[in-house]
């Protein structure tokens, strides 16, 4: 075999295995309660309705569904997506829309389009690691902006200061990556004021905003806040926001279908980028989704999913209140939507280390917070998912998690604890 390392491109050398993908393998082990993945609850999948829609495709559109399609996306699906968005007050035309193989494909296309090696993306600390990995694979860099439960969005002062410093040092940023609705990992939602302020910042500095919204419709408490894409549309309409949506969380991730909304010029460039990747998104899936959307059942489906997750989120918060060590430095977010909550532990605990102990000693898994930082990670937090597990598993899993955390605190306080060392997992 040829020495692979000598042959790899610089881009390939920058690619990182997804820690989350690796951890998802743990879900398969029956003895482990895993809060690690970001999986929707399988009992929310509308199997009968999706089967009926697939039958319509075979009965009526087989020749088209089994053929190559256009890169831009299937016309029927695009028409349905335009209606779906219009119901939420987002008005787009056909040329503002590109159907993709899940938002993850879009997260790879955008840095491919915009980044030269060494260019910057502005993103939260923490943020979705799938976006970070894609940026890294194109040799991009990330200007990290603090993002905490108390901040309801970026710390705008930190953003202004860090950006000014970057520019002064000759750095070039191209876009700002944000997940304003129930961010992955922390489950936090940006306030209207912060959304508006970010848009003004992007206008002022000539930057695009990449608004990633997989959880936008999965709001189970409170009132929706306009997306940044909408705010631009309703205001100066400068076309600087690129908005990513997906069927993964509102319907089923196995559809592997999402959509990008953006200015027609940006869509045109993205179409070229996508052509080289996969020619077009799975045509059968697109026809299938179009038939399903035509039934209008998606709106009830989303309501049911939200009700399901509201109950699980409330139950998980209840269990955390009941079992977790009662200390000011052990706290968690209480998201109004999405799939995750974020637990912050005392600064002397490294969740990289704790994860190994949690799996070995208590057979419970989570995602260590460090994976959600491009550089200089904070290590005392973890992401846990509440959508996938049943209530019994949630109670048992939180009990186990609380035990391993309590033990870690106790060992530290009795002087036996190790230092906050990265494990390199
Ligand atoms: C913030 C965020 N963006 C994008 C994705 C990828 O979504 P998709 O399944 O549409 O590729 C995920 C998946 O969990 C996510 O959490």
């Amino acid at each position: 075999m040829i020495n692979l390392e000598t042959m790899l491109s610089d881009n390939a050398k920058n690619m990182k295995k997804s820690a989350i993908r690796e951890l998802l393998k743990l879900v398969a082990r029956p003895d482990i309660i895993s809060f690690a993945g970001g999986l929707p609850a399988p009992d929310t999948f509308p199997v009968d309705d999706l089967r009926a829609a697939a039958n319509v495709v075979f009965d009526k559109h087989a020749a088209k569904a089994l053929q190559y399609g256009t890169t831009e996306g299937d016309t029927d699906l695009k028409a349905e997506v335009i209606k779906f968005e219009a119901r939420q007050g987002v008005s787009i035309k056909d040329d503002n829309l590109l159907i993709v193989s899940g938002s993850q494909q879009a997260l790879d296309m955008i840095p491919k389009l915009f980044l030269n090696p060494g260019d910057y993306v502005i993103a939260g600390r923490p943020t979705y690691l799938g976006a970070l990995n894609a940026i890294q694979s194109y040799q991009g860099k990330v200007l990290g902006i603090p993002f905490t439960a108390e901040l309801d969005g970026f710390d705008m002062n930190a953003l202004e200061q860090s950006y000014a410093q970057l520019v002064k040092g000759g750095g070039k940023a191209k876009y700002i990556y944000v997940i304003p609705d129930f961010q992955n990992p922390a489950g936090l939602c940006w306030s209207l004021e912060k959304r508006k302020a970010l848009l003004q910042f992007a206008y002022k500095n000539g930057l695009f905003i990449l608004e990633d919204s997989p959880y936008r419709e999965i709001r189970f408490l409170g009132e929706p806040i306009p997306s940044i894409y909408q705010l631009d549309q309703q205001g100066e309409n400068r076309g600087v926001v690129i908005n990513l949506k997906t069927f993964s969380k509102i319907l089923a991730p196995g559809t592997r279908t999402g959509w990008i909304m953006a200015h027609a010029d940006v869509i045109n460039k993205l179409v070229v980028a996508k052509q080289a990747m996969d020619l077009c998104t799975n045509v059968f899936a697109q026809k299938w989704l179009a038939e399903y959307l035509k039934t209008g059942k998606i709106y009830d489906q989303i309501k049911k999913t939200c009700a399901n997750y509201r109950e699980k989120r409330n139950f998980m918060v209840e269990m955390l209140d009941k079992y977790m060590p009662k200390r000011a430095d052990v706290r968690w977010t209480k998201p109004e939507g999405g799939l995750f909550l974020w637990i912050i532990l005392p600064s002397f605990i490294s969740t990289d280390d704790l994860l190994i102990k949690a799996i070995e000693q208590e057979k419970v898994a989570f995602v260590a917070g460090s994976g959600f930082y491009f550089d200089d990670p904070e290590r005392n937090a973890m992401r846990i998912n509440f959508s996938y597990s049943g209530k019994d598993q949630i109670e048992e899993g939180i009990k186990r998690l609380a035990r391993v955390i309590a033990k870690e605190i106790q060992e530290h306080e009795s002087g036996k604890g190790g230092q906050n060392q990265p494990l390199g997992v």
Side-chain angles (χ1 to χ4, degrees):
M1 173 61 181
I2 293 170
N3 180 348
L4 200 54
E5 287 305 314
T6 63
M7 302 297 267
L8 291 176
S9 69
D10 289 344
N11 282 357
K13 283 182 195 146
N14 267 292
M15 287 174 191
K16 274 206 306 197
K17 240 183 177 177
S18 160
I20 287 196
R21 291 286 121 206
E22 293 304 297
L23 278 166
L24 275 181
K25 293 177 190 164
L26 293 174
V27 179
R29 268 180 55 185
D31 58 330
I32 300 234
I33 295 180
S34 176
F35 298 134
L39 303 183
D43 59 356
T44 63
F45 301 152
V47 178
D48 290 338
D49 294 338
L50 288 172
R51 184 189 294 115
N55 286 339
V56 175
V57 177
F58 278 120
D59 293 345
K60 294 196 183 159
H61 310 293
K64 277 194 180 157
L66 300 173
Q67 191 54 276
Y68 283 114
T70 57
T71 309
E72 286 81 353
D74 178 72
T75 327
D76 288 348
L77 180 59
K78 288 177 90 178
E80 290 302 320
V81 167
I82 289 170
K83 278 192 232 157
F84 179 81
E85 288 294 346
R87 251 179 90 130
Q88 305 184 54
V90 180
S91 103
I92 45 161
K93 298 206 183 76
D94 190 73
D95 59 1
N96 300 124
L97 186 59
L98 170 60
I99 306 292
V100 285
S101 306
S103 325
Q104 189 60 45
Q105 181 178 48
L107 288 175
D108 190 70
M109 290 162 80
I110 306 289
K112 184 177 187 176
L113 191 65
F114 288 117
L115 300 187
N116 289 318
D119 280 350
Y120 279 81
V121 176
I122 300 171
R125 283 177 56 82
T127 197
Y128 175 52
L129 65 83
L132 295 178
N133 287 349
I135 293 164
Q136 189 162 33
S137 72
Y138 292 101
Q139 302 179 62
K141 292 185 174 172
V142 173
L143 181 68
I145 308 299
F147 189 99
T148 64
E150 295 75 32
L151 287 174
D152 72 354
F154 282 174
D155 176 337
M156 294 308 284
N157 288 332
L159 173 63
E160 293 281 357
Q161 281 167 17
S162 308
Y163 184 68
Q165 260 181 357
L166 178 80
V167 173
K168 204 167 149 204
K172 172 98 188 129
K174 296 285 183 62
Y175 63 91
I176 309 165
Y177 172 67
V178 282
I179 314 157
D181 292 293
F182 323 118
Q183 189 233 26
N184 181 358
L188 297 170
C189 190
W190 284 49
S191 65
L192 181 60
E193 291 65 35
K194 285 279 167 81
R195 292 174 197 229
K196 286 183 176 166
L198 192 77
L199 190 57
Q200 290 307 320
F201 178 86
Y203 288 162
K204 186 174 83 183
N205 295 293
L207 296 165
F208 280 102
I209 295 176
L210 176 57
E211 181 180 30
D212 189 6
S213 311
Y215 309 106
R216 179 160 174 77
E217 287 81 10
I218 307 295
R219 171 183 276 283
F220 40 72
L221 291 169
E223 290 302 315
I225 300 170
S227 66
I228 306 177
Y229 186 79
Q230 262 172 310
L231 291 174
D232 179 42
Q233 274 202 330
Q234 293 160 1
E236 296 182 34
N237 203 11
R238 295 206 207 170
V240 303
V241 187
I242 302 167
N243 195 188
L244 311 185
K245 303 289 287 284
T246 175
F247 288 105
S248 288
K249 306 296 170 3
I250 58 174
L251 188 60
T255 59
R256 301 311 305 130
T257 307
W259 63 100
I260 306 179
M261 296 185 288
H263 190 280
D265 293 351
V266 175
I267 294 289
N268 278 337
K269 287 286 177 202
L270 288 169
V271 166
V272 180
K274 184 171 160 67
Q275 260 157 11
M277 287 178 171
D278 63 358
L279 301 177
C280 62
T281 298
N282 181 329
V283 185
F284 185 87
Q286 293 186 70
K287 285 278 178 218
W288 175 43
L289 287 165
E291 287 308 321
Y292 174 73
L293 290 177
K294 279 182 204 166
T295 66
K297 291 187 173 172
I298 186 81
Y299 305 103
D300 262 357
Q301 168 63 22
I302 292 173
K303 267 193 214 146
K304 274 193 239 157
T305 303
C306 288
N308 182 322
Y309 294 174
R310 183 189 307 118
E311 205 177 318
K312 285 185 177 174
R313 173 273 198 200
N314 287 346
F315 187 69
M316 190 175 254
V317 169
E318 205 185 298
M319 292 303 104
L320 287 165
D321 284 338
K322 186 166 170 189
Y323 294 111
M324 283 293 228
K326 313 267 176 295
R327 300 166 52 110
D329 54 2
V330 176
R331 53 198 204 281
W332 46 90
T333 54
K334 297 185 176 68
E336 296 191 335
L339 269 55
F340 307 108
L341 57 83
W342 182 246
I343 303 183
I344 302 162
L345 298 177
S347 55
F348 55 82
I349 293 183
S350 157
T351 52
D352 292 337
D353 294 355
L354 193 74
L355 178 58
I356 309 293
K357 294 177 191 167
I359 292 173
E360 282 176 357
Q361 297 168 15
E362 293 287 354
K363 302 209 175 343
V364 62
F366 53 83
V367 184
S370 60
F372 300 96
Y373 295 82
F374 186 79
D375 48 22
D376 196 15
E378 308 228 342
R379 298 194 184 274
N380 59 326
M382 67 173 76
R383 187 194 78 177
I384 58 173
N385 165 274
F386 53 79
S387 57
Y388 183 73
S389 308
K391 278 190 173 176
D392 289 354
Q393 279 183 318
I394 292 179
E395 172 148 26
E396 179 57 28
I398 295 295
K399 249 194 235 174
R400 294 181 189 184
L401 197 57
R403 260 198 314 258
V404 82
I405 292 169
K407 191 168 167 212
E408 193 75 358
I409 294 175
Q410 200 219 330
E411 281 180 6
H412 175 85
E413 294 190 337
S414 65
K416 278 199 274 164
Q419 287 305 300
N420 194 354
Q421 291 285 345
L423 253 192
V425 284

